[in-house]
Amino acid sequence: MNIGLLGFGFVGQGFQQLVSEKYWLGLHVRQIGVKDPAKPRPALGIPFSTDPNVLLAEDSLDILVEAIPALDEAYQFVKAALQRGKHVVSANKRMLAHHLPELSALARGNGVQLRYEAAVGGAIPVLTALGGYFQTEVVTEIRAIVNGTSNYVLTKMADEGLAYADVVKAAQALGFAEADPTLDVGGYDPKFKIILLAAQAWGTWAAPDAVLNLGIQPLGVHELDLARAQGLRIKLVSSAKRTADGRVQLSVLPAFLRPDDVLFPIREEINAIHIQGQASGPHLFVGRGAGSLPTGTAVLADVRAVQLGQTLQLPAMATTPLDSSANVQLYLRTGQASLVEKLGLEVSAVRDGAYLGTTSIGKLLQHVTEVRASGAFLATVPQGFSLTANSPAVAARA
Ligand SMILES: NC(=O)c1ccc[n+]([C@@H]2O[C@H](COP(=O)([O-])OP(=O)(O)OC[C@H]3O[C@@H](n4cnc5c(N)ncnc54)[C@H](OP(=O)(O)O)[C@@H]3O)[C@@H](O)[C@H]2O)c1
């Protein structure tokens, strides 16, 4: 099977290496598309081109792998590939989260596959599970840590007292941070992933702008002290829940987690996706959410599935109105009392510019730009959470 590969960075190189090592699979990368004509390329015996049309026009290519960070170029490329009847495997969650309904309809209409396992949990085969095993099981809720960079930053800050900026730089050097770290630490990347997970689980798609995401950038020593004193950990948690009337609640928020939370032990750049099945109960998928070879492995698995004619059931996409009425118990640290009012926070405790209270996801979404601009830190809290760093452990009290 002949493959055209767009993008030769962490993901593209990992994939190409695995294809060449596992030569017996009968997969061949025939063309590689890149951006920078001046960059030196390894002598692989495979032509490099800076014109993606070269890949699109090549009839002998059966499948195109798209592994570039760009949004619009990737969308145009994948769309054109599907229109020309090529199978596509993509790692680009940002592009997929924005254009999934159109692209999945195009794939269906042209009788080809659009697969993107690597885009969601890196190496974790969660879409394969949702599209297979969970075809006959009802998923009621998904909670996930699906941003390796944020989890790495949170782990290093909490355990080693390292400064935020230094840890972000280290994550970039290790190859699992996006070039623009705001996508990671601002909660955008995990938002794209929870949108794709919800789409696979329920066939409901939500536009990224309609989904609440707040990040970990304003996290301070104060929150780390509060968490440590109460035996908690701070994580960036993506949530998706299906309501009784078939609507979906989606959000990405920092959270103080108790030790008995399944996501509590997930450390460093490791990802975890917790799926609640109606009859089968809880399932926890844990693995490497990023990195060259882990992500390359997921791309290879998708390509191999296409080669073997194995299809993945992708539900027909419907744009379902989100349910933003759910209330959340929040910790909010802000110097602006007016923000507390705007968010409609029903305050139960205040101490040193930090508030505990309840409000709805809808209220947070309505004022999300102001929350971000204000530098406020906001996180969900478990029952028994206290604003004093010398309070007894929440776990012991609960
Ligand atoms: N890194 C991970 O662990 C990971 C995990 C899961 C998913 N992803 C996703 O996979 C994609 C690639 O990530 P990466 O980490 O491999 O990126 P990367 O290391 O920055 O490499 C990007 C590659 O894409 C090429 N490129 C960029 N814009 C292009 C354009 N407009 N046309 C053609 N080629 C272009 C670059 O060309 P040059 O070589 O000329 O610069 C480079 O080869 C992204 O969508 C990312 O979100 C990454």
Side-chain angles (χ1 to χ4, degrees), residues 145 147-156 158-160 176 233-235 262-272 286-289:
I145 292 177
N147 184 259
T149 303
S150 301
N151 209 44
Y152 180 82
V153 169
L154 290 168
T155 306
K156 293 286 178 193
D159 291 6
E160 298 172 29
F176 47 79
R233 282 185 188 155
I234 301 168
K235 301 283 179 191
V262 287
L263 300 179
F264 182 92
I266 308 305
R267 292 168 49 78
E268 305 211 325
E269 75 272 25
I270 298 300
N271 279 202
V286 180
R288 299 212 168 272

Side-chain angles (χ1 to χ4, degrees), residues 349-374:
V350 190
R351 193 184 169 97
D352 300 334
Y355 300 77
L356 267 187
T358 308
T359 191
S360 68
I361 293 285
K363 273 278 181 201
L364 292 174
L365 193 57
Q366 198 183 336
H367 297 285
V368 69
T369 313
E370 289 147 277
V371 175
R372 285 192 195 117
S374 72

Side-chain angles (χ1 to χ4, degrees), residues 1-4 61-65 86-89 302-303 306:
M1 188 166 222
N2 296 321
I3 303 158
L61 299 178
D62 310 294
I63 178 162
L64 295 176
V65 171
K86 308 267 191 205
H87 301 288
V88 172
V89 172
D302 272 350
V303 168
V306 172

Side-chain angles (χ1 to χ4, degrees), residues 210-234:
V211 179
L212 174 70
N213 65 294
L214 285 169
I216 60 165
Q217 303 99 315
L219 174 70
V221 175
H222 190 59
E223 286 78 37
L224 293 169
D225 287 346
L226 280 176
R228 197 173 303 115
Q230 296 175 70
L232 306 173
R233 282 185 188 155
I234 301 168

Side-chain angles (χ1 to χ4, degrees), residues 6-12 33-37 39 41 49-50 52 66-70 73-74 91-94 118-120 122 175-179 189 193 289-292 295:
L6 186 67
F8 198 64
F10 284 107
V11 177
V34 287
K35 186 173 187 181
D36 183 354
K39 228 186 230 183
R41 307 291 172 185
S49 170
T50 51
E66 182 268 305
I68 66 173
E73 289 100 323
N92 192 333
K93 52 257 165 158
R94 182 154 69 120
V120 175
F176 47 79
E178 294 292 325
D189 170 270
K193 292 168 178 170
S292 188
T295 313

